[in-house]
Amino acid sequence: MKKYLNPKELPSLPSAGKKEKETGEKESFFKTVFKIARTVPRGRVTSYGAIADASGLKLTGRMVGWAMNAAGSAKPAVPAHRVVNSKGELSGRHHFATPTLMQELLEQEGVVVKEDKIQNFKAVFWDPGQPSSKKDSKKKG
């Protein structure tokens, strides 16, 4: 079985290279991913790929998943339970304290999950790359 690096064991996080803070210091792609994930509204979900696209960086969905795996120790908290794969499956559920915690958190927000899959995925999907008015109209329509 292939062993992957644990992001918590790395000496430093890679730089995103393009995004810079006002101080001129480069921001890591982890911070960029966390910032986007924190904008996902309660009761909505997004995908790893949608975050990658919205980041403006050359990220893949897998890279976003890698960053989300490290989100448990981020301050302020990152609602990682709201990030699923492109099929609406809870593919990150095994990285939570219990295998059912991701589903429980989503259900507390009104998201219906059956057999580790979001039931009304298109209706609750939130695209962080769309202007606010379009995101809000998707929820209503």
Side-chain angles (χ1 to χ4, degrees):
M1 178 170 14
K2 191 169 186 177
K3 181 164 171 83
Y4 294 94
L5 294 174
N6 180 344
K8 294 176 185 172
E9 295 172 358
L10 296 175
S12 65
L13 299 176
S15 171
K18 291 185 182 178
K19 297 270 182 178
E20 293 187 14
K21 294 181 181 178
E22 289 179 14
T23 62
E25 161 187 336
K26 292 186 179 181
E27 190 173 85
S28 77
F29 83 89
F30 277 45
K31 288 181 182 178
T32 301
V33 167
F34 295 165
K35 182 191 271 184
I36 294 169
R38 287 183 186 110
T39 65
V40 180
R42 257 182 93 72
R44 304 296 295 276
V45 297
T46 195
S47 68
Y48 302 105
I51 290 176
D53 291 344
S55 74
L57 306 173
K58 293 182 179 177
L59 296 180
T60 65
R62 286 182 187 250
M63 292 172 73
V64 171
W66 189 53
M68 295 308 294
N69 186 33
S73 60
K75 300 285 187 232
V78 176
H81 63 284
R82 297 180 189 151
V83 184
V84 299
N85 73 17
S86 62
K87 297 176 186 173
E89 298 168 342
L90 310 187
S91 55
R93 69 187 175 280
H94 299 296
H95 298 286
F96 285 77
T98 67
T100 59
L101 181 58
M102 185 176 188
Q103 178 173 340
E104 292 166 11
L105 292 169
L106 287 167
E107 288 174 340
Q108 287 175 8
E109 295 182 5
V111 177
V112 179
V113 179
K114 289 185 183 168
E115 297 179 13
D116 297 321
K117 188 169 183 176
I118 307 290
Q119 291 304 290
N120 49 350
F121 184 54
K122 286 185 180 181
V124 297
F125 181 77
W126 186 81
D127 187 347
Q130 294 296 314
S132 295
S133 60
K134 287 184 181 178
K135 287 184 271 192
D136 294 337
S137 66
K138 281 185 181 181
K139 184 174 181 178
K140 294 174 188 172

